[in-house]
Each structure stands twice: as structure tokens, then as C-alpha cells.
Amino acid sequence: FPCFKDIIGETNSHDFEKGKGKGIFEGNHLLRHKFLHFIQRSMVLSPAQARIRFPDSDIDIILERPKTFDSEIPALNGVSTISVPLPLPHLAADWGVATLLQLIEADSLLTILQLILIERSILILGECSGIVTSCTCALLELIRPYKWASNFMPILPKDMIEFVNSPVPFIAGVVASRKDIVSIERDERVLNAMSEGLTIVNLVTSEIHVTSERGIKS
């Protein structure tokens, strides 16, 4: 956008085509920090705006005039107001659930939710901490109005994988490389835990490995 000229300096599209551009936010460090400070200080929802929720009726969503959060950006030439629709996306309830549905088939996801409702452990494996965290939190959103009353760890260090032998059920996420994920799935401690109720969700391959506990059908 032309309005970001002051942030990226004098770099233009011709420079980027030739590979000479410094890149967004690299042309003027002082203005970049000024802009980020402005966002932290001024772009904050009021209590009333934070309480805004989507209407329960689909018709109301269509008919009602959408509410927005508006903020003036004096630091940028050409921009007087930034307008963001409300309510803001919720990390777990919106983006997390959408990501989970994108990575895991619906039938597999229903199986995971059934296992959670009978208090069986779930271990989520992935390469990105943001995706692993959001998908782990999304599971709690999907079992509403029920609440998970046992251990919950959105990120469990891979060096603490022995935690899978916990005597109480848990929902946990582990961030690791593809190679390490394969090693975790083949780890003897993990395989033993799978015979006692643990199910593994691999976000990289979009596969789930359902517990081999007797009495539970995959």
C-alpha cells in the first residue's frame, strides 16, 4: 500500500523487482518503533467493545450492521483511520478450530473428542508452536459445555516425553521436527502409554494413532 511509504522508506516496487529493496520496516527503524508503540498504546479495545459477540441467529448476522473498532493512525501519510470488524477472532475458538479442521479429517476429530469425553490422554505433535498451541486449545473449545478437569499443557518440552506415562489423563502438545516426531511416535514409553489410553495426533501427516487400550475401538 502506498500509505506505508514512510515505514519502508523510499523503497519502491521497481527496487523490489531488482532485489534492491530493503524490505518492509527496514527503511526507517525510528518510524517502525514509533508505529509499533502506537499500536501497543492506542489500539486497545474498550470494555464494551471486548464484550461484543456474534449474534446467535444467522439472520441477525446478515441484517445487523457490523460493529467495528476504529483508530486513527497519524504516523502514516494517506491513512486517517484503520477499521477492524468486531468481535476480533479468538485464537482457540476461531483460528484454532479452523486450523484443526483443516489438518484433521472430521471423522478423526470426532474420534478425538469422544476419547476426551471418556477422559483419555491426547498428545498433539507438530512443527509449529503456534499451530500446536492453537489446536490443543481448540480441543477444549470443541467439548463445550463440558470442561476438561485434568492436566492440560499446550506446549510440553520434547525432553519431557516421559510425561506420557502420567497416571492421570492429559491433553498436551509437543513441538518437534519431522524427524523427532517420528522418533517420538516410535518411543517405547509412548507405545506403552498408547496401550493404556494415549492417542497421538500428528499435525504434520494429518494422522491420528488411536489408543490400543482394550475396550476402545478405533
Side-chain angles (χ1 to χ4, degrees), residues 21-33:
K22 294 182 178 180
I24 293 178
F25 295 134
E26 293 184 12
N28 192 325
H29 296 291
L30 291 178
L31 190 55
R32 176 186 64 181
H33 290 298

Side-chain angles (χ1 to χ4, degrees), residues 135-192:
C135 288
T136 306
C137 293
L139 293 178
L140 302 188
E141 294 291 330
L142 289 172
I143 63 171
R144 289 179 178 271
Y146 300 103
K147 294 184 178 181
W148 180 253
S150 193
N151 291 332
F152 175 73
M153 292 155 291
I155 293 293
L156 177 71
K158 62 181 180 180
D159 296 335
M160 296 179 60
I161 197 64
E162 66 273 6
F163 183 83
V164 296
N165 293 314
S166 169
V168 296
F170 63 87
I171 298 176
V174 172
V175 178
S177 65
R178 286 176 177 259
K179 181 179 179 180
D180 288 338
I181 288 176
V182 173
S183 298
I184 290 173
E185 291 179 332
R186 296 176 179 176
D187 191 292
E188 184 177 352
R189 295 165 294 182
V190 174
L191 296 176
N192 289 337

